[in-house]
Amino acid sequence: VLVVDDSQTVREALAHVLAKSGFAVDVAGDGVEAWNLLREADYAALVTDLEMPRMDGIALIEKARADEVAVGLAIVAITSRDSRQSRERAQEVGADRLLSKPIDPKQIVEVLFSLLSRDGSK
């Protein structure tokens, strides 16, 4: 799983929760760093914040979905702005789910296991 958030606290917290649940986790501080990692390794899932510097989550999701690198990639978008507009935009560009911050650790794990088992991954 690749976790992308410009907040170091959020990245570390999510990485810790996911690692405790058995996921191998890498982290990135923004969309540009995440895109480089996506191009280098084969990830089953991407968990990305929507609002970040350099390349935001929407642009990252769009880029990933338009490239062969994201075939089968489960994408969970996270945001502090749980508006209908954010939810619709995230779904438009290819996010499988949108979760609101603060993230419930149990929920993110359940969502990832559900998405990955649906695709036959993990």
Side-chain angles (χ1 to χ4, degrees):
V1 175
L2 178 57
V3 173
V4 189
D5 200 299
D6 57 324
S7 165
Q8 183 176 354
T9 304
V10 172
R11 279 193 315 268
E12 289 175 357
L14 283 173
H16 177 74
V17 165
L18 296 176
K20 276 182 49 178
S21 297
F23 293 100
V25 182
D26 286 335
V27 296
D30 63 34
V32 172
E33 186 181 346
W35 178 247
N36 291 332
L37 289 171
L38 283 170
R39 306 281 298 161
E40 295 172 5
D42 185 25
Y43 293 97
L46 170 67
V47 177
T48 183
D49 188 12
L50 292 182
E51 298 174 26
M52 298 178 291
R54 296 199 309 160
M55 182 191 299
D56 67 15
I58 295 292
L60 175 61
I61 295 167
E62 283 180 316
K63 195 167 185 155
R65 288 294 190 221
D67 193 285
E68 291 179 10
V69 77
V71 173
L73 186 69
I75 299 178
V76 178
I78 57 175
T79 185
S80 55
R81 296 186 186 180
D82 189 20
S83 69
R84 187 173 136 209
Q85 183 181 18
S86 293
R87 187 170 304 279
E88 289 173 356
R89 186 68 180 127
Q91 288 174 336
E92 265 177 33
V93 297
D96 295 301
R97 289 288 302 272
L98 178 71
L99 301 178
S100 298
K101 290 180 181 179
I103 301 299
D104 175 353
K106 183 178 177 185
Q107 182 184 28
I108 188 74
V109 169
E110 288 174 355
V111 165
L112 284 171
F113 275 127
S114 171
L115 290 172
L116 294 174
S117 65
R118 171 197 76 189
D119 292 336
S121 308
K122 187 142 175 108

